[in-house]
Amino acid sequence: MKVVIQRVSSASVTIDEKVVAHIQKGLLVLVGIEDSDTQEDSNWLVGKITNLRIFGDENQVMNLSVRDIDGDIIVVSQFTLHASTKKGNRPSYIKASKPEIAIPLYENFVKRLEIELGKKVQTGVFGADMKVLLLNDGPVTIQIDSKNRE
């Protein structure tokens, strides 16, 4: 699984001109799933995301997690995170999972985040044409790949 985590002052997801998710201070998490991803990958990422110390403390040092600040999270499925640009100019998405594999893992990922965060996690709609609006705070943007645990 690949995620792009963005620290936000606010974020929202709109589908067909209707806002389906909106948060203030917290994280926007874009998640891409491939066929080889497992529940173990998902669980590891949930632990990383909820404990990642990227929010400022009283001295403006990044020492606090989204959980520490009682922040919110929006999760958006993003198959394009698995784009391969190795050949030509048109990305290939062959590594991205098909919905029958990705949806259950995505839904469980969201549920695990809710358990770890102790509150509802907002989401886009898997496979929908979404408009994502965010005010990136910092900016702070971090990429994590569960297959490359550095």
Side-chain angles (χ1 to χ4, degrees):
M1 290 176 77
K2 292 182 180 181
V3 295
V4 173
I5 302 162
Q6 295 179 299
R7 186 178 77 181
V8 298
S9 296
S10 64
S12 64
V13 177
T14 302
I15 300 171
D16 295 327
E17 299 187 29
K18 180 180 181 227
V19 175
V20 298
H22 182 268
I23 64 168
Q24 292 301 314
K25 190 172 188 171
L27 301 174
L28 171 65
V29 178
L30 306 174
V31 59
I33 299 168
E34 64 182 17
D35 287 350
S36 65
D37 291 328
T38 66
Q39 194 56 57
E40 199 272 327
D41 291 300
S42 177
N43 293 345
W44 181 81
L45 281 170
V46 165
K48 273 293 196 192
I49 291 165
T50 56
N51 293 299
L52 202 58
R53 298 182 331 174
I54 59 172
F55 291 91
D57 62 16
E58 64 278 357
N59 297 315
Q60 298 310 311
V61 175
M62 285 197 267
N63 264 333
L64 302 175
S65 70
V66 67
R67 189 184 344 206
D68 294 332
I69 65 153
D70 195 30
D72 293 310
I73 296 177
I74 291 181
V75 176
V76 175
S77 61
Q78 179 111 28
F79 75 93
T80 59
L81 291 180
H82 286 287
S84 172
T85 57
K86 190 173 184 177
K87 291 175 32 178
N89 293 318
R90 182 173 182 221
S92 168
Y93 304 106
I94 197 157
K95 288 183 84 176
S97 270
K98 303 294 182 268
E100 57 271 10
I101 294 171
I103 290 173
L105 200 53
Y106 171 83
E107 290 174 346
N108 193 271
F109 176 75
V110 172
K111 285 179 189 167
R112 294 276 309 159
L113 278 171
E114 289 176 338
I115 291 167
E116 290 297 317
L117 206 56
K119 64 164 94 175
K120 182 84 173 135
V121 167
Q122 298 200 38
T123 65
V125 175
F126 192 95
D129 181 19
M130 296 174 270
K131 307 300 180 217
V132 179
L133 182 66
L134 70 137
L135 181 56
N136 194 317
D137 180 15
V140 174
T141 302
I142 297 172
Q143 301 174 59
I144 303 175
D145 185 339
S146 66
K147 303 293 192 237
N148 186 18
R149 299 181 188 188
E150 295 180 336

